[in-house]
Amino acid sequence: MLLFIRLIFVWILEALKKLVPNCFRAKKDVSNDIVLITGGGSGFGRLLALRFAEHGSTVIIWDINEHGLNETKSEIDRKFGTKCFAYLCDVSNRVDVYSKAESVKKDVGNVTILINNAGILQVDNFLSLKDENVERLFKVNILSHFWTCKAFLPSMLNSNSGHIVSIASIGGIVGAPKFSDYCATKAAAISLMESLYSELYFAGKSNINLTTICPVFMRTAMAKTVNSDFVIEPDFAADQTMDAILRNENFVTIPRWQYLSCMLKPILPPKVVVMFMNLLNAQNAFMNYHSSFN
C-alpha cells in the first residue's frame, strides 16, 4: 500500500509538469524517426509534415488527394531536402490501409511515429445529417485509427518503442451543436487512446508513447472571418502539437486553458457548460462553419 501511495505521488508530479513552461522542458530528437501522417496532403497534416521534415525526420504522407500529396512533397524537398514518401491511400478502407502499410514497410521501413490526422466533417442539424455521410465520417475519423494502429503497432511492440498520436478535438470532450457525428468520433478517438495506453502499460510496453491532441476549431477556409476563442490559427496548433509530441505528453488541449473544460464538465450542469460556451462566442464559430457548407 505504501508503494502504491508513493507511485500515485510520483504520477501526480509527472502530471504537474504541464504547469512548467515549455522552455524548461526537454525535447526528444526525432531526426532518425520514420513519421507517417494521414491526411498529409493539405491543411494541418501538411503543417505537421513540414515541421517533422524541419527536424530531419523521414516523412511519409497518406492522402486521397494526389495533387495535395505532390505539393506537400515538393515543399519538403524545396525547403528541407529531407526524405518524403507520398502514398495515395483511402484510410476509410481497411484493405487499402493494410496494403499501403506493407508497401511502406518494404519501401521505407518500420514507422516509429504514427500520426492519425485525417478527418472530415459535415455540419448540420442532427435530423438533417445524411446517413451515408455519417458512415463515411466514422470510417475516416475513427475506424481508420484502428486500421493504422493494427498495421504499425506490432513493430513498436517488438522494440518496445515508438509513438502514436491522435489528432482529436475539444469537441470530443464538450459537444458542439450541429457537429454531433464529428464530436462522437472525436470522443471515440480520445477513449481509444486511453484504452490503448492502459493496455500497453499492463503489457509492460510503457516505452511506447501515446499523445492525444484536442484543439478547438482551427481557422480554415471555412472559418476565415469568425471571431471566437473557439477558433485558433493552424500554425499555432501545429507548433503546440509538435511541442507535445517532442516532449512525449500524453494529453494536450489547444489552447492550454481548455484543460478547464476537461476539469469542470463532469461537475457542472449542462446548462452551465452551454452558457460558458456562449460567453466565449462559440456559437458564432459553429454557425460560421455551418454557413460555409451551404
Side-chain angles (χ1 to χ4, degrees):
M1 178 59 72
L2 182 59
L3 175 61
F4 182 65
I5 293 174
R6 288 177 179 175
L7 283 173
I8 291 177
F9 180 72
V10 170
W11 292 333
I12 290 175
L13 289 179
E14 288 182 351
L16 290 176
K17 288 192 301 183
K18 295 178 185 296
L19 303 178
V20 178
N22 285 343
C23 60
F24 296 110
R25 298 161 62 189
K27 296 181 180 180
K28 66 181 179 182
D29 178 16
V30 293
S31 59
N32 294 318
D33 279 286
I34 297 175
V35 184
L36 189 147
I37 305 170
T38 65
S42 62
F44 193 63
R46 178 178 293 176
L47 293 178
L48 292 179
L50 291 169
R51 280 159 174 77
F52 273 104
E54 186 176 9
H55 280 79
S57 306
T58 296
V59 176
I60 302 166
I61 48 176
W62 283 5
D63 211 302
I64 58 172
N65 179 356
E66 185 173 13
H67 178 70
L69 286 171
N70 292 334
E71 283 189 338
T72 301
K73 188 176 187 306
S74 295
E75 190 170 353
I76 287 176
D77 291 342
R78 184 176 69 254
K79 290 184 175 179
F80 309 111
T82 52
K83 293 181 180 179
C84 179
F85 299 84
Y87 294 81
L88 274 174
C89 182
D90 180 359
V91 295
S92 70
N93 184 330
R94 68 177 183 275
V95 175
D96 197 18
V97 168
Y98 293 152
S99 173
K100 292 304 190 310
E102 290 304 312
S103 297
V104 165
K105 294 171 189 176
K106 179 180 178 181
D107 300 341
V108 189
N110 289 326
V111 169
T112 57
I113 300 179
L114 168 64
I115 303 179
N116 282 313
N117 164 75
I120 56 176
L121 59 84
Q122 61 173 330
V123 187
D124 213 335
N125 295 314
F126 175 79
L127 292 178
S128 299
L129 296 174
K130 295 181 179 178
D131 293 347
E132 60 272 21
N133 289 346
V134 172
E135 291 180 351
R136 170 72 175 169
L137 192 144
F138 268 78
K139 288 179 179 179
V140 174
N141 289 12
I142 181 59
L143 289 182
S144 68
H145 294 207
F146 284 83
W147 317 145
T148 57
C149 288
K150 290 184 72 174
F152 297 112
L153 181 57
S155 62
M156 296 183 187
L157 290 172
N158 288 337
S159 63
N160 191 20
S161 64
H163 202 148
I164 298 174
V165 181
S166 175
I167 307 301
S169 170
I170 202 69
I173 301 168
V174 180
K178 300 181 183 293
F179 285 78
S180 56
D181 52 352
Y182 177 82
C183 290
T185 61
K186 295 305 181 179
I190 294 170
S191 293
L192 169 62
M193 292 290 278
E194 290 177 351
S195 179
L196 188 56
Y197 176 88
S198 63
E199 185 171 322
L200 292 174
Y201 178 84
F202 287 118
K205 303 294 183 179
S206 56
N207 288 332
I208 300 175
N209 296 295
L210 272 68
T211 298
T212 303
I213 304 293
C214 291
V216 294
F217 294 101
M218 298 182 203
R219 192 179 304 281
T220 64
M222 295 180 292
K224 284 184 177 180
T225 61
V226 68
N227 180 24
S228 169
D229 289 327
F230 269 78
V231 178
I232 56 176
E233 299 299 330
D235 276 306
F236 170 73
D239 288 339
Q240 292 289 301
T241 298
M242 280 300 298
D243 273 339
I245 295 170
L246 295 178
R247 292 186 171 90
N248 292 329
E249 293 194 58
N250 179 255
F251 181 87
V252 174
T253 65
I254 305 175
R256 299 278 176 149
W257 65 263
Q258 281 290 341
Y259 282 123
L260 289 172
S261 301
C262 307
M263 295 169 58
L264 296 177
K265 182 191 172 185
I267 62 175
L268 292 178
K271 289 183 179 179
V272 175
V273 176
V274 172
M275 182 182 69
F276 181 66
M277 292 167 62
N278 190 49
L279 289 174
L280 294 176
N281 202 20
Q283 187 74 355
N284 185 21
F286 305 145
M287 292 307 101
N288 181 278
Y289 267 83
H290 176 71
S291 63
S292 300
F293 278 73
N294 294 281

